[in-house]
């Protein structure tokens, strides 16, 4: 990989690239890669049909080599399972009586984290706690087991799953099997041919079917729906839906249950100019291309990654890839500049669940109410990042090591990147003049650390960032890009649409409707402010106060901050209100600043959207964790996934709403904060055929956590701090 | 300037800097600088008292030299007045009969922009329209004139000011005069001495007095209040208030009217460790310092600045500094990648007014309800930016040329910067795999253009950005930094505060309260979507629809987008509602995309806050433009300043609310959109003694403006695009 060569030819102003590349990247390495461990289907010629042109833009990741994960050993209690450990689990399970004579698939194999209390006491150098895996197994395509595998004792413990509804996260094999199931149906093949699609151009997607309570098959069968597209003439098959064709598949048996075919009068959109790959673009000469710009660190980056421990500036945290959540940040601690002490902020933070309901109640669309983390696996869908384009130069790339359905470990290279960011922004400044006599100019550039993953759940790409600032702020951020899920229509102009007809979206191009939908991303934030388990949630309500005659003020009104400590979960179910605003503090009531303020962090919402669906609508019941923007629950190890442990086809009986209905006490307790970022998305033509990124975020911000501005003493940038640079193709500086 | 030398000494791990610098920067140049044109007071020794240590961090601006503005000539109808033109205005006015035998001060001298219609027809190469200045003059400290000075005919036209209340924006001379006025009062000097403050340490601020309708002097006198601080031991005098001492000054006469002295029992906070200048910091060895990081463009930036015309990527716009608004963006046009045509988006955009009410009704605080643009001049308070710290390397710096009170032009060097930004973010991406058979990885880095100014209105610093994206998005952004306005208190611990006592803020340090306040920043956005004068404002309401039995859907509900075209101003007074959301489109109803959607832009709010004060409270009446988050008015040249032309001591009779109460028609008309970004600020200890930047923004985003994603064809970054860099102090690469 390091010795690859690029030859660039420039011909008549148009860029023509020919690249020699020694091998297919995923075949050129001796390490474990997806293809070695997944169904051979995925490594077929077909698999590489659209692969070649992509080489044109592959960049090496300069800061990392592919790591030899065979020799990985855990060094921290929270370190993910290693290849060796995955193989141990696989071997132990193969002798486990309940599985011995069964066919089974492992839907999830991850580290069972040691109890929080122990992890918090653990210090570098201490021996690790016994390593355990928590495993979800689907047995004989009929039942689901939840097992703990103790790697030291080789013991397997079965957990009572309880009477909750739903199935575990699909395996990649489930999805691919479901996708291929319709091909076995003669009726399906006839329909495809009747629509004028060549089987070679057929591209199908497995679409989680949800649960609606009124469909017979839903009660006892693991179901999935499959919808198909034509990839004729474009790699962007999403823009060529075979509208109205929905195949219901039994996912356990990988068999067609029924086919609904209601869109024969709807043409397949032509897909012209929808291919978004750089290699097929005709460049418009009048477009002003930009000179290269890059983040340069001639002395190297300032962070270190020691196993899974990231250290940067005043921050230290544990980072690990997770097949369901994607990125997991643990034990985030910030160094206090006054005392030099590392102080805990958050024990664990991750994306607990997503909810993406489409707003079309018709036959081929009503069920599209995705819960991407629990259904598809947010981490499983996080593909390798593209160096220089997904992350800047000097990024560090962390691989994911996961288990396939058969338990074999595989590596997802470059799944997470870590980099320092500087956008030209200002961390703080003050300039005096001209009113005062003091001429002072003090400004400090703002440099942050970003942890990034990008999960492509079929069409949509979720860019998931955790940004750390030197002033103690943590900013989780979601960027939405990728490709719309579109609907075919007979119309090719809005003037053909009868006034009484509602399209459920926007006509984006001839015969293409972008259907309205929402995105909700729910974070679980186990805050442990200043190390302690005992925190409180305080709503600081900002209320108008009408001045009284005794106040003897020319003002009629002013705003007062009123602190309300939440006693129970109900007190902490927050619907944001612009005209009844609050700050939301998580404080440690047992630790105070020198002048007596409780130390804390506040959650500062950014732009967001609320779910407006009927609370009794089945999708909303399943995704009841979006009923509020914020929740606070007492810490409970089993309450990690806001939509429930088994979200697939769940019936809403194991959600954050259900847990919070118990209205447990949360004052001066170990508490967990849940926050949901929302987006309403009415598509527009600019989203076609690939969407410019739309972002939102929220902040976890110190509030009386530090005695004073923690970055008061940071130095400015001086001229001599800057590197000397020359273009790559210029021989000397 | 280019030949300055830096010597860096590294000693025992702590950075010690000694810099030789040939001259004081503001004395080393022959061009016009502030000091040559302002009162000699500002160039006194006192002026430089705190100046020297600052040298340690001054960086040269590498991309620009100080321009010789003597030879500036206007090249575009909107170009600001040149030095030559300012001098012409001054000379013409000195012969104008009404002023000839009067004493007068020019509160504002700016270009009178030619009628919008003419400017829109003007093309590069056409002759300029007659150049005119619009001048606000305060005559004999008694009356205000509004004059147009025609530079070609030398004619002066007087405008009827009308019966509106209020006074023009203060001049810098007004502010300094007011600040010094108390020194002439024996009573004042006695009080200062009684408080134990040496006169040499006294620092006073002119605080706009607002209007409350019930104070006798307010009715006919231009008033200002002065409050003072002790700078003993710290350059951060703001942290050492002489609490309760308020001097009411007649601004026209620069004479004390009365002194209120109610805080003698309140100690002056000690100010220990509040100095924020780098030169006085004691570095904590355990703080992890960061390696340098910079935005590098080895082939140079991609934008050009031709006079005041900025061209970058697909954008072109006119940029000018304005003494009241700060940055004015005009004729922002984006190139359509399909047709290569430059298409207009916005005729003019700027910060029209600010409103910063403090939430303390007591004697020394109730009046603090600043309207920074109209009272202090947002551009007048925008000091020179600090290269490398306020803006990155390769930034272009634009100077402001303004008139002093006597009409003499002066230069504010480096007032605005323009730079390309890249934070490592992603403009768009899509990655296929593993569900589909297509292996595709396409990602594009996001590079933007930022126009920045930072206005330091005494203590607060407002970082004002206009960010342009290649996908057609414009993001106005406000960053708040600088120093809190704090209140003295006898308490040095929260446990001393009686439960019934309310502090109006947070105890930040011993004897220091950070008083709660709001910030509102109101933008005037004259949108001209696709060139036309005739635009409409459409609320696309997102509403829950309960499915009917006829819909025969397993869903109970979905969200529908309902378009409502605003007919009159009342239809467009928008209060944002999370649970009754809308998109806000400005469309050109006369231009459609190929498939028939009206071309448009939408305004996308970011995190914001609403004003919660009583609508009849005098400060809220004066700032009634914050009664809604959004407004739409028909274009009216005279309606530029949301708080009225003369905001100082205004009574709320000339605000956006008053104009909009006429409820004029706005459908298919030349319309202006107003948007307000709001912040509630409950100070916390991290804001002490200087505040980490807090930001918010909103977006102007194309919505069916383009036929499709305008950045589909942008290339990715290749390895060879990156520069080769070495640290400054490393001899070779």
């Amino acid at each position: 990989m390091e010795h690859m060569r690029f030859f660039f030819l420039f011909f008549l102003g148009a860029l023509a690239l020919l690249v020699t590349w020694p091998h297919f990247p995923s075949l050129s390495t001796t390490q474990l890669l997806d293809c070695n461990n997944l169904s051979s289907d995925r490594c077929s010629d077909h698999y590489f049909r659209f692969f070649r042109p992509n080489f044109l833009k592959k960049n090496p990741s300069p800061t990392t080599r592919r790591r030899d994960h065979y020799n990985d050993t855990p060094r921290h209690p929270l370190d993910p399972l290693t290849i060796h450990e995955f193989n141990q689990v696989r071997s132990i399970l193969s002798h486990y009586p309940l599985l011995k004579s069964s066919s089974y698939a492992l839907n999830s194999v991850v580290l069972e984290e040691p109890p929080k209390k122990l992890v918090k006491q653990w210090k570098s150098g201490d021996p690790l706690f016994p390593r355990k895996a928590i495993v979800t197994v689907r047995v004989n395509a009929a039942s689901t087991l939840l097992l703990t595998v103790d790697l030291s004792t080789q013991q397997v413990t079965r957990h009572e799953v309880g009477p909750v509804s739903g199935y575990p996260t699909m395996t990649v094999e489930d999805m691919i099997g479901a996708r291929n199931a319709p091909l076995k149906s003669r009726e399906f093949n006839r329909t495809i041919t009747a629509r004028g699609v060549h089987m070679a151009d057929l591209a199908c997607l497995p679409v989680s079917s949800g649960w609606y309570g009124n469909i017979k098959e839903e009660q006892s069968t693991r179901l999935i729906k499959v919808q198909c597209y034509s990839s004729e003439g474009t790699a962007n098959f999403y823009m060529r839906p075979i509208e109205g064709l929905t195949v219901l598949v039994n996912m356990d048996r990988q068999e067609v249950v029924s086919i609904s075919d209601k869109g024969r009068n709807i043409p397949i959109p032509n897909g012209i100019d929808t291919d978004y790959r750089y290699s097929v673009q005709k460049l418009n000469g009048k477009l002003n291309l930009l000179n290269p710009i890059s983040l340069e660190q001639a002395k190297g980056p300032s962070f270190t990654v020691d196993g899974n421990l990231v250290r940067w500036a005043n921050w230290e945290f544990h980072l690990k890839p997770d097949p369901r959540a994607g990125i997991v940040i643990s034990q985030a601690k910030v160094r206090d500049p006054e005392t030099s002490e590392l102080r805990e902020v958050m024990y664990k933070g991750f994306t607990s669940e997503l909810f993406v309901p489409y707003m079309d109640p018709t036959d081929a669309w009503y069920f599209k109410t995705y819960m991407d983390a629990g259904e598809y696996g947010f981490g499983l869908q996080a593909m390798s990042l593209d160096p220089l384009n997904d992350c800047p130069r000097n990024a560090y790339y962390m691989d994911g090591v996961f288990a396939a359905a058969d338990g074999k470990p595989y590596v997802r290279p470059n799944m997470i990147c870590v980099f320092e960011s500087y956008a030209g922004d200002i961390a703080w400044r003050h300039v005096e003049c001209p009113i005062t006599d003091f001429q002072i100019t003090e400004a400090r550039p703002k440099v942050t650390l970003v942890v990034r993953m990008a999960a492509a759940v079929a069409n949509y790409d979720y860019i998931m960032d955790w940004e750390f600032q030197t002033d103690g702020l943590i900013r989780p951020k979601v960027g939405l890009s990728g490709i719309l899920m579109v609907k075919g229509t007979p119309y090719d102009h809005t003037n053909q649409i009868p006034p009484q007809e509602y399209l459920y979206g926007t006509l984006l191009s001839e015969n293409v409707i972008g259907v309205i939908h929402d995105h909700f991303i729910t974070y679980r934030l186990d805050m442990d402010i200043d190390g302690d388990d005992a925190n409180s949630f305080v709503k600081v309500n900002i209320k108008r106060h009408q001045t009284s005659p005794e106040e003897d003020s020319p003002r009629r009104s002013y705003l007062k901050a009123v602190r309300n400590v939440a006693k129970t979960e109900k007190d902490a179910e927050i619907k944001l209100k612009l005209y009844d605003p609050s700050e939301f503090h998580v404080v440690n009531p047992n630790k105070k600043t020198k002048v007596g303020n409780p130390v804390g962090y506040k959650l500062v919402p950014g732009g967001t959207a609320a779910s407006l669906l009927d609370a009794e609508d089945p999708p909303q019941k399943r995704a009841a964790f979006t009923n509020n923007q914020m929740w606070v629950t007492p810490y409970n190890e089993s309450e990690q996934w806001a939509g429930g442990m088994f979200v697939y086809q769940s019936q809403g009986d194991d959600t954050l709403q259900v847990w919070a209905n118990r209205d447990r006490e949360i004052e001066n307790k170990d508490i967990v904060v849940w926050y949901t970022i929302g987006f309403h998305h009415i598509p527009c033509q600019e989203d076609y055929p690939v969407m410019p990124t739309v972002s939102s975020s929220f902040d976890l911000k110190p509030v009386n956590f530090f005695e004073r501005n923690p970055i008061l003493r940071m130095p400015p940038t001086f001229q001599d701090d800057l590197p000397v640079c020359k273009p790559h193709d210029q021989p000397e500086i």
Side-chain angles (χ1 to χ4, degrees), chain A:
Chain A
M1 292 283 283
E2 285 105 48
H3 304 296
M4 94 204 67
R5 288 164 295 143
F6 287 83
F7 299 105
F8 287 85
L9 299 173
F10 292 85
F11 183 63
L12 282 177
L15 203 58
L17 301 171
L18 283 173
V19 182
T20 65
W21 192 289
H23 308 282
F24 286 86
S26 49
L27 300 178
S28 68
T29 165
T30 53
Q31 284 101 37
L32 281 169
L33 279 173
D34 301 18
C35 279
N36 297 341
N37 291 282
L38 293 171
S39 79
S40 63
D41 179 88
R42 297 188 56 235
C43 295
S44 67
D45 278 358
H46 191 55
Y47 191 57
F48 292 107
R49 188 165 52 132
F50 280 93
F51 194 30
R52 203 176 42 87
N54 203 40
F55 282 6
L56 292 175
K57 47 170 299 301
K58 271 281 166 205
N59 292 307
S61 53
T63 54
T64 56
R65 314 224 164 95
R66 289 275 161 82
R67 263 170 243 88
D68 176 5
H69 293 283
Y70 280 115
N71 297 321
D72 284 352
T73 48
R75 294 151 63 186
H76 184 283
L78 299 176
D79 279 358
L81 295 176
T82 62
I83 287 190
H84 176 67
E85 290 173 329
F86 276 115
N87 285 328
Q88 271 188 285
V89 171
R90 195 164 160 250
S91 155
I92 295 169
L93 286 179
S94 68
H95 300 101
Y96 181 57
L98 270 176
L99 301 179
K100 229 172 163 177
S101 55
S102 311
S103 77
Y104 61 91
L106 306 186
N107 291 63
S108 169
V109 184
V110 291
L111 175 77
E112 181 174 296
E113 294 187 358
K116 179 172 169 179
K117 207 180 172 123
L118 295 181
V119 176
K120 283 171 81 90
Q121 286 163 356
W122 186 87
K123 278 181 212 70
S124 175
D126 289 355
L128 290 186
F129 308 106
R131 298 278 290 174
K132 297 177 183 178
I134 181 104
V135 184
T136 312
V137 198
R138 184 94 184 132
V139 187
N140 290 333
S143 60
T144 304
L145 303 182
L146 196 60
L147 307 172
T148 291
V149 179
D150 187 319
L151 298 180
S152 50
T153 62
Q154 311 237 335
Q155 274 195 317
V156 180
T157 320
R158 183 176 171 186
H159 299 277
E160 199 45 67
V161 170
V164 294
S165 62
Y167 301 103
T169 305
M170 291 182 278
T171 63
V172 174
E173 293 78 357
D174 281 335
M175 301 180 223
I176 292 168
R179 191 202 70 193
N180 290 338
L183 296 171
K184 295 177 250 168
S185 155
R186 215 180 293 173
E187 184 191 344
F188 176 80
N189 287 281
R190 256 200 314 268
T191 298
I192 296 301
T193 309
R195 296 273 192 128
V197 176
H198 300 286
M199 293 309 284
D201 294 323
L202 190 68
C204 297
L205 292 180
V207 180
S208 57
S209 56
W211 171 81
Y212 289 87
N214 47 5
I215 294 162
K216 204 184 69 213
E217 293 84 355
E218 279 184 354
Q219 302 307 323
S220 55
T221 322
R222 200 161 67 113
L223 295 171
I224 192 156
K225 293 189 173 175
V226 176
Q227 295 195 320
C228 301
Y229 301 82
S230 167
S231 66
E232 191 185 355
T234 181
N236 193 349
F237 60 87
Y238 300 101
M239 293 300 124
R240 304 204 65 196
I242 303 172
E243 191 55 47
L245 176 65
T246 308
V247 185
L248 183 66
V249 170
N250 178 318
M251 192 157 31
D252 280 322
R253 299 180 175 211
Q254 307 206 337
E255 276 176 13
V256 170
V257 175
S258 62
I259 297 177
S260 174
D261 189 6
K262 298 186 174 171
R264 289 184 206 190
N265 59 335
I266 301 172
I268 296 172
N270 63 33
I272 290 173
D273 271 351
T274 58
D275 200 330
Y276 50 91
R277 290 171 300 162
Y278 181 62
S279 55
V280 303
Q281 302 306 314
K282 296 163 217 98
L283 281 184
N284 181 336
K286 286 182 187 143
L287 266 186
N288 249 338
L289 290 182
L290 300 181
N291 286 345
I293 181 167
S294 63
L295 285 168
E296 294 296 334
Q297 298 174 281
K299 294 186 175 176
S302 309
F303 63 88
T304 60
V305 184
D306 176 11
N308 290 74
L309 220 52
V310 181
R311 289 189 185 90
W312 173 76
N314 43 352
W315 281 103
E316 180 181 308
F317 57 89
H318 186 275
L319 167 64
K320 73 173 159 192
D322 180 84
R324 183 163 177 174
I327 290 172
V328 176
I329 305 283
S330 298
Q331 297 195 292
K333 296 173 186 177
V334 65
R335 195 173 299 278
D336 191 313
E338 310 272 312
T339 62
S340 298
E341 179 201 357
L342 262 179
R343 297 170 65 194
E344 190 158 359
V345 175
M346 184 176 73
Y347 181 73
K348 194 175 179 184
F350 61 88
T351 307
S352 176
E353 194 49 273
L354 289 88
F355 178 44
V356 188
Y358 282 71
M359 302 303 172
D360 182 337
T362 60
D363 181 69
W365 281 81
Y366 76 89
F367 51 91
K368 292 180 182 168
T369 53
Y370 303 99
M371 295 166 81
D372 289 313
E375 291 179 340
Y376 290 86
F378 212 40
L380 293 180
Q381 310 302 328
M383 297 296 102
S384 300
L385 294 160
D386 185 13
L388 304 189
N389 292 301
D390 275 329
C391 316
R393 186 179 227 178
N394 290 320
Y396 171 91
Y397 292 87
M398 185 178 277
D399 301 342
V401 182
F402 299 141
D406 59 4
K408 279 190 194 154
Y410 66 94
V411 175
R412 173 70 35 82
N414 297 355
M415 174 184 158
I416 295 173
C417 71
V418 182
F419 63 88
E420 281 167 287
S421 173
Y422 166 60
D425 283 335
I426 302 168
W428 65 259
R429 87 186 298 278
H430 183 60
V431 172
E432 288 284 338
C433 204
I435 305 176
T436 65
D437 271 350
F438 296 74
Q439 189 167 330
I440 298 174
T441 299
E442 295 283 343
R444 302 292 182 271
K446 178 172 162 178
V447 179
T448 64
L449 186 80
V450 178
V451 175
R452 174 172 296 165
M453 160 197 106
V457 192
N459 53 315
Y460 251 97
D461 292 51
Y462 291 88
I463 302 158
M464 307 300 293
D465 287 358
W466 286 81
E467 187 170 17
F468 294 82
Q469 295 189 181
T470 53
D471 61 5
L473 186 145
I474 306 177
R475 176 169 295 165
K477 183 172 162 189
V478 180
L480 304 177
S481 187
I483 299 175
L484 281 173
M485 182 145 276
V486 303
K487 180 174 180 169
T489 173
Y491 305 122
D492 56 29
H493 196 282
T494 54
N495 62 16
Q496 300 162 348
I497 307 165
Q500 69 281 10
E501 187 169 340
Y502 178 71
L503 285 194
Y504 307 107
T506 310
L507 191 69
L508 299 180
S509 180
E510 288 80 358
N511 310 117
V512 179
I513 292 169
V515 175
I516 297 172
H517 55 280
D518 286 345
H519 297 267
F520 299 100
I521 301 95
T522 299
Y523 290 81
R524 181 182 183 277
L525 307 161
D526 181 358
M527 305 301 288
D528 276 15
I529 298 299
D530 222 3
D532 232 320
D533 280 356
N535 282 183
S536 291
F537 181 70
V538 183
K539 288 180 287 184
V540 183
N541 192 218
I542 299 168
K543 265 201 154 22
R544 182 200 304 164
H545 172 87
Q546 302 284 151
T547 50
S548 59
E550 301 84 68
E551 286 180 275
D552 187 26
S553 173
R555 287 275 281 274
R556 286 196 186 204
S557 64
Y558 63 94
L559 304 191
K560 260 186 157 170
V562 183
R563 293 174 68 89
N564 295 300
V565 179
K567 304 285 180 198
T568 69
E569 290 177 285
K570 285 288 164 224
D571 296 337
E573 293 191 4
I574 306 295
K575 289 185 171 68
L576 298 172
K577 289 172 188 153
L578 189 63
Y579 282 88
D580 180 16
S582 290
E583 286 195 353
F584 306 101
H585 295 199
V586 179
V587 302
N588 186 326
N590 314 304
K591 297 206 178 161
K592 301 247 157 81
T593 60
K594 278 180 209 151
V595 296
N597 293 307
V599 303
Y601 259 68
K602 62 179 173 180
L603 193 153
V604 187
T608 193
S611 182
L612 305 174
L613 293 175
D614 185 332
E616 293 304 311
D617 205 354
Q620 186 61 38
K621 272 186 87 159
R622 298 177 64 222
F625 52 88
T626 62
N627 287 351
N628 300 300
Q629 284 81 55
M630 211 181 304
W631 314 66
V632 180
T633 57
Y635 175 80
N636 181 331
E637 210 185 317
S638 73
E639 295 172 4
Q640 301 267 345
W641 309 105
M645 173 69 106
F646 300 127
V647 162
Y648 199 91
Q649 256 171 277
S650 65
Q651 300 176 17
D653 45 359
D654 184 28
T655 68
L656 175 53
Q657 175 74 72
V658 172
W659 312 333
N661 282 346
R662 283 177 279 170
D663 203 19
R664 293 164 289 186
E665 289 187 0
I666 55 171
E667 188 182 359
N668 208 354
K669 298 245 184 265
D670 188 3
I671 56 176
V672 175
V673 177
W674 307 76
Y675 181 75
T676 297
I677 297 181
F679 298 85
H680 296 301
H681 189 174
I682 305 176
C684 60
Q685 290 186 230
E686 286 79 4
D687 294 331
Y688 178 90
V690 65
M691 295 180 283
T693 307
V694 170
S695 297
S696 193
S697 62
F698 66 97
D699 293 345
L700 298 169
K701 193 171 190 294
V703 57
N704 306 317
F705 183 84
F706 296 109
E707 290 291 336
R708 46 185 26 237
N709 180 335
I711 50 170
L712 176 69
R713 297 203 162 83
M714 71 187 281
T717 294
F718 296 93
Q719 184 70 21
D720 283 3
D721 292 331
L722 300 184
V724 180
C725 300
K726 68 176 186 70
H728 179 95
D729 50 8
Q730 184 185 302
E732 53 193 62
I733 290 186

